[in-house]
């Protein structure tokens, strides 16, 4: 992805973020924007439930509803859990 494409994606995402403060309403449009500019087959945005420390798929692109429901991770579990735990 060239720099101009990255700037266009960031501009679109910033407009989406400015539309509402309801996080759940903007996650899917953000994924759609990313998919329209990059060769994305599947993608997901996960959120941490601070009460259970469970990481859940909140919105996804290219996943079935069943796959989204199975997307539950604990800190340190799998790639998603490792990224959340270490920040890397």
């Amino acid at each position: 992805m060239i720099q101009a494409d990255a700037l266009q994606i960031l501009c679109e995402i910033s407009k989406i973020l400015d539309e509402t403060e309801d996080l759940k309403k903007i996650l899917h449009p953000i994924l759609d924007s990313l998919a329209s500019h990059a060769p994305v087959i599947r993608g997901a945005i996960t959120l941490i439930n601070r009460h259970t420390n469970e990481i859940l798929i909140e919105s996804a692109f290219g996943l079935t509803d069943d796959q989204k429901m199975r997307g539950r991770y604990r800190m340190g579990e799998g790639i998603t859990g490792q990224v959340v735990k270490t920040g890397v």
Side-chain angles (χ1 to χ4, degrees):
M1 182 178 349
I2 62 174
Q3 190 172 4
D5 287 341
L7 290 175
Q8 184 177 359
I9 292 169
L10 290 174
C11 182
E12 282 185 29
I13 291 173
S14 69
K15 288 177 185 176
I16 294 167
L17 291 170
D18 195 42
E19 290 175 3
T20 181
E21 291 182 15
D22 185 347
L23 183 63
K24 291 185 181 192
K25 287 184 180 179
I26 61 173
L27 294 178
H28 198 71
I30 288 172
L31 284 172
D32 286 343
S33 178
L34 290 170
S36 71
H37 293 285
V40 175
I41 297 170
R42 285 180 289 281
I45 296 176
T46 58
L47 298 176
I48 300 171
N49 180 322
R50 300 255 184 227
H51 300 290
T52 65
N53 275 336
E54 192 172 35
I55 306 159
L56 307 168
I57 293 177
E58 188 61 44
S59 185
F61 179 86
L63 298 179
T64 66
D65 288 338
D66 184 53
Q67 289 171 320
K68 287 187 263 186
M69 293 299 293
R70 287 184 288 153
R72 303 169 93 76
Y73 310 93
R74 299 217 178 273
M75 292 287 194
E77 178 184 19
I79 293 170
T80 299
Q82 281 294 320
V83 169
V84 172
K85 182 178 179 179
T86 64
V88 179

